[in-house]
């Protein structure tokens, strides 16, 4: 919730905020503008820093919308219609949305924004629409003999804070958290990201138009651009807010989590991951050049600003490992240096690199500001022994969010396993092993150590790239996320975060939610699974 480039002077030409179904002038305490990361220049659009009175209006409208949504007999159909229309609206405004995101993030128009991320975003919205319409994620359960019924119901108003690295697919007003929260029947208050507010505004306009078409309550989707830290913490404590979803740094995430825990709120945060990759000797021997190319390409993709960026590499000592490292250094030197999203991102990356160096790692290449325009750090590769890693594992696991990676070289499989056992929780963990089977014995010892420490275990490919699939887990043990029980990607599992279990005891049938009115004279337990009712004898 840090405000960069903020002015204390209220600029009345700043863009309005979306509150209770209307674009209205903010009761602002200040203004800010985004920067062009490629040259560091301030962009022309001015956006407000909202006061507590704006927050109060948003919370009240969201609480009203939550009650109205619960009362709608055709809520699921209306929500599905909204999500589908929203996807259509985004697609019809592709050129403007992509142009804004490119200007604000420096991410390439093609293929990244226009051909990859935007279609992924509309695909997520349509998957969420299907889930809303289907309803099986509610897991209705009927025990007629005991007179009990239960299902998952909407949790209530959700505040979503998105990251800067995926301006569409993880945006607070259009991304996976947004789609999941709305599909589960909840109103959303989105906080725009200060690095790409115009992108957020254009997406919010598309969402607002879709709300009108679907005839959902006015306060179902709202957006403010920025608020002071104290107002954000006060917002979390407000009883009208029921859940918070956050993607960003561990530092900010832990502050939000502490506030949520203190007020008993559900908090779902994706916060930090170095995504360990193990290259076993047989794999390196089979295709060293290809693996070096895969590694360097993945580390530098999007200037390394992926939550699944491979930031920590483990290898066993040997001549082939030395050749691998030397080749990687040369490729990192030769590759162009991309722009980071912000000056804050550049400073944070340099601090992280220095932390790893101070812990004992050797700088092989990079490690300093680049001479290019905008916000840039030289492509960076560091090296440490497993013994050095084991001496300071916490510092060595510092997330260097950007175009940087650390290679840890172990003298034996025993030493490598010891290093892996110190790993914090991560979103992903990967093992490359020989196709011919020479690494199988080592794999069998490594995988059981890695498996409980990562959300997604990968073989023989880099972790960058998250498929939108029901089987995906884009989560992991702390500090990758605030809880290992959820995924931020993959319908219907991602919806379950924004629900509460509601049970009905001896409630008359006509007073039950529609999905629990299933007649069951046999006394058997019934559960709705995979689109059909199943029965278990509970006598």
């Amino acid at each position: 919730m840090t405000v960069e480039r903020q002015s204390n002077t209220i600029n009345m030409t700043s863009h309005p905020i979306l509150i209770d179904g209307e674009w209205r002038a903010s009761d602002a305490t200040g203004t800010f503008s985004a920067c062009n990361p490629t040259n560091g220049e301030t962009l022309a659009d001015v956006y407000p820093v909202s006061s507590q009175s704006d927050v109060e209006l948003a919370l009240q409208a969201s609480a009203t919308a939550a009650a109205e949504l619960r009362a709608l007999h055709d809520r699921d159909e209306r929500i599905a219609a909204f999500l589908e229309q929203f996807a259509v609206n985004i697609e019809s405004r592709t050129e403007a949305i992509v142009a804004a995101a490119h200007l604000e993030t420096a991410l390439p128009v093609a293929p990244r924004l226009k051909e990859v991320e935007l279609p992924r975003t509309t695909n997520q919205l349509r998957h969420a629409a299907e889930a809303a319409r289907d309803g099986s994620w509610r897991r209705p359960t009927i025990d007629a003999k005991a007179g009990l019924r239960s299902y998952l119901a909407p949790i209530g108003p959700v505040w979503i804070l998105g990251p800067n690295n995926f301006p569409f697919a993880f945006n607070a007003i259009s991304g996976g958290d947004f789609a999941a929260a709305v599909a589960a029947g909840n109103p959303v208050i989105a906080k725009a990201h200060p690095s790409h507010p115009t992108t957020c505004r254009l997406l919010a306009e598309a969402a607002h138009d879709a709300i009108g078409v679907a005839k959902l309550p006015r306060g179902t989707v709202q957006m403010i651009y920025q608020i002071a830290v104290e107002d954000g913490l006060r917002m979390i404590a407000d009883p009208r807010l029921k859940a918070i979803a956050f993607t960003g740094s561990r530092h900010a995430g832990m502050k939000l989590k502490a506030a949520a825990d203190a007020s008993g709120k559900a908090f779902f945060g994706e916060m930090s991951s170095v995504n360990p990759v193990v290259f076993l000797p047989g794999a390196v021997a089979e295709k060293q050049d290809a693996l070096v190319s895969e590694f360097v390409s993945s580390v530098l993709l999007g200037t390394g600003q992926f939550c699944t960026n491979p930031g920590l590499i483990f290898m066993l000592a040997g001549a082939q490992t030395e050749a691998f490292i030397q080749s990687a250094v040369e490729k990192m030197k030769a590759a162009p240096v991309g722009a980071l999203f912000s000056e804050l991102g550049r400073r944070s990356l340099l601090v992280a690199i220095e932390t790893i160096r101070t812990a004992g790692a050797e700088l092989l290449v990079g490690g300093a500001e680049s001479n290019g325009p905008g916000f840039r750090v030289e492509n960076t590769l560091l090296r440490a022994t497993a013994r050095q890693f084991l001496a300071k594992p916490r510092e060595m696991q510092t997330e260097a969010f950007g175009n940087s990676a650390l290679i840890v070289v172990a003298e034996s499989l025993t030493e490598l396993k010891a290093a892996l056992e110190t790993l914090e929780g991560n979103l992903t963990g990967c093992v490359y092993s020989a196709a011919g089977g020479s690494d199988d014995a080592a794999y069998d010892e490594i995988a059981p150590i890695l498996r409980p420490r990562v959300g997604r275990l990968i073989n023989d490919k880099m972790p960058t790239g998250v498929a939108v699939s029901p089987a995906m887990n884009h989560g992991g043990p702390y500090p990758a996320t605030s809880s290992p029980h959820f995924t931020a990607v993959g319908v219907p599992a991602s919806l379950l975060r924004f629900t509460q279990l509601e049970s009905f005891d001896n409630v008359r049938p006509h007073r039950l939610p529609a999905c629990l009115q299933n007649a069951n004279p046999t006394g058997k337990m019934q559960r709705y699974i995979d689109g059909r009712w199943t029965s278990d004898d509970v006598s």
Side-chain angles (χ1 to χ4, degrees):
M1 292 181 288
T2 301
V3 180
E4 297 184 86
R5 302 174 298 281
Q6 179 178 339
S7 169
N8 290 324
T9 302
I10 309 303
N11 187 332
M12 298 309 294
T13 63
S14 65
H15 285 282
I17 55 177
L18 179 57
I19 300 290
D20 198 17
E22 296 180 356
W23 289 100
R24 61 178 71 186
S26 168
D27 178 26
T29 61
T31 60
F32 73 98
S33 295
C35 277
N36 181 340
T38 62
N39 56 26
E41 293 181 359
T42 300
L43 298 174
D45 284 280
V46 178
Y47 292 92
V49 179
S50 285
S51 66
Q52 182 59 31
S53 64
D54 286 346
V55 173
E56 169 61 28
L57 289 172
L59 284 168
Q60 187 52 51
S62 196
T64 299
E68 292 173 344
L69 283 166
R70 274 187 171 257
L72 289 176
H73 71 279
D74 60 347
R75 177 185 65 211
D76 295 345
E77 180 55 42
R78 290 200 204 184
I79 286 174
F82 159 70
L83 292 167
E84 290 167 343
Q85 185 62 50
F86 187 17
V88 170
N89 289 355
I90 290 173
E91 290 166 344
S92 70
R93 307 174 196 203
T94 291
E95 297 303 324
I97 293 171
V98 166
H102 172 64
L103 185 64
E104 292 179 322
T105 68
L107 293 170
V109 168
R112 166 65 194 268
L113 292 171
K114 188 173 183 178
E115 298 163 16
V116 177
E117 191 177 341
L118 190 139
R120 169 184 166 168
T121 303
T122 54
N123 187 35
Q124 285 179 159
L125 292 169
R126 291 186 170 105
H127 281 187
E130 292 173 5
R133 190 172 280 122
D134 170 73
S136 59
W137 59 269
R138 299 183 185 281
R139 298 181 179 175
T141 302
I142 298 175
D143 184 348
K145 178 174 267 189
L148 287 166
R149 287 165 165 77
S150 68
Y151 81 139
L152 295 174
I155 195 170
V158 179
W159 187 29
I160 300 179
L161 301 90
N164 60 0
N165 59 338
F166 280 86
F168 308 149
F170 283 84
N171 196 302
I173 197 69
S174 66
D177 287 345
F178 172 88
V182 173
N186 304 290
V188 164
I189 302 172
K191 179 189 168 296
H193 197 283
S195 290
H196 50 258
T198 297
T199 303
C200 295
R201 173 172 57 82
L202 296 175
L203 290 167
E205 289 172 356
H208 178 240
D209 291 349
I211 287 288
V213 172
K215 294 182 170 54
L216 284 173
R218 293 161 53 92
T220 301
V221 176
Q222 303 179 90
M223 188 180 75
I224 55 179
Y225 291 99
Q226 187 60 288
I227 55 177
V229 172
E230 58 270 21
D231 289 333
L233 298 179
R234 191 179 300 120
M235 180 176 177
I236 291 173
D238 193 288
R240 289 168 292 188
L241 189 72
K242 302 302 181 183
I244 304 97
F246 166 81
T247 304
S249 71
R250 190 193 308 195
H251 176 73
M254 290 307 295
K255 283 188 175 180
L256 294 170
K257 184 179 186 302
D261 290 346
S263 57
K265 300 294 174 60
F267 176 76
F268 304 103
E270 180 193 316
M271 301 181 292
S272 178
S273 188
V274 294
N275 305 297
V277 177
V278 180
F279 286 111
L280 291 173
V284 179
E286 283 183 354
K287 49 179 183 178
Q288 175 185 300
D289 291 344
L291 294 188
V292 171
S293 294
E294 284 183 39
F295 163 58
V296 173
S297 296
S298 185
V299 169
L300 300 184
L301 184 66
T303 320
Q305 297 167 116
F306 275 68
C307 47
T308 52
N309 184 56
L312 182 59
I313 309 302
F314 291 95
M315 304 184 74
L316 287 170
Q320 289 173 328
T321 290
E322 295 304 318
F324 179 102
I325 293 173
Q326 185 57 41
S327 179
V329 167
E330 294 304 318
K331 285 185 178 295
M332 293 283 275
K333 283 181 181 178
V337 176
L340 298 163
F341 293 128
S342 67
E343 174 58 27
L344 176 61
R346 176 166 63 182
R347 293 198 305 267
S348 298
L349 176 56
L350 290 170
V351 169
I353 291 170
E354 185 57 31
T355 299
I356 297 168
R357 288 187 67 184
T358 302
E362 174 190 0
L363 182 65
L364 300 177
V365 63
E369 289 188 22
S370 171
N371 293 326
F375 313 122
R376 301 174 197 266
V377 170
E378 295 171 342
N379 298 330
T380 300
L381 195 61
L382 302 107
R383 172 179 181 158
T385 66
R387 186 170 298 180
Q388 289 170 320
F389 184 89
L390 286 164
K392 293 192 175 180
R394 181 177 179 83
E395 292 83 356
M396 290 283 188
Q397 291 179 73
T398 299
E399 182 183 31
F401 191 71
N403 47 326
S404 175
L406 169 65
I407 298 177
V408 177
V409 180
E411 293 298 324
S412 66
L413 184 61
T414 298
E415 197 174 59
L416 174 57
K417 288 163 57 181
L420 294 178
E421 286 171 349
T422 70
L423 288 178
E424 297 180 322
N426 282 274
L427 294 172
T428 70
C430 175
V431 182
Y432 277 84
S433 59
S438 62
D439 293 324
D440 285 1
Y443 179 90
D444 289 345
E445 294 190 50
I446 287 171
I449 298 172
L450 203 54
R451 175 63 278 182
R453 291 169 171 81
V454 302
R456 176 164 52 114
L457 180 63
I458 305 168
N459 278 184
D460 306 318
K461 69 175 186 177
M462 282 290 147
T464 38
V466 179
V468 180
S469 163
M472 174 54 65
N473 178 19
H474 190 61
Y478 174 83
T481 65
S482 56
S483 168
H485 301 99
F486 76 84
T487 174
V489 177
V491 172
S494 61
L495 275 66
L496 305 184
R497 296 173 291 167
F498 306 111
T499 65
Q500 60 186 15
L501 183 62
E502 295 185 352
S503 180
F504 300 82
D505 190 343
N506 203 39
V507 174
R508 299 175 191 177
H510 71 280
R511 295 172 177 169
L512 292 166
C515 67
L516 294 178
Q517 292 179 11
N518 181 272
N520 185 7
T522 65
K524 291 184 177 180
M525 183 82 76
Q526 287 191 308
R527 298 180 181 87
Y528 195 71
I529 301 172
D530 294 333
R532 63 187 182 89
W533 286 97
T534 62
S535 296
D536 302 315
D537 194 342
V538 296
S539 58

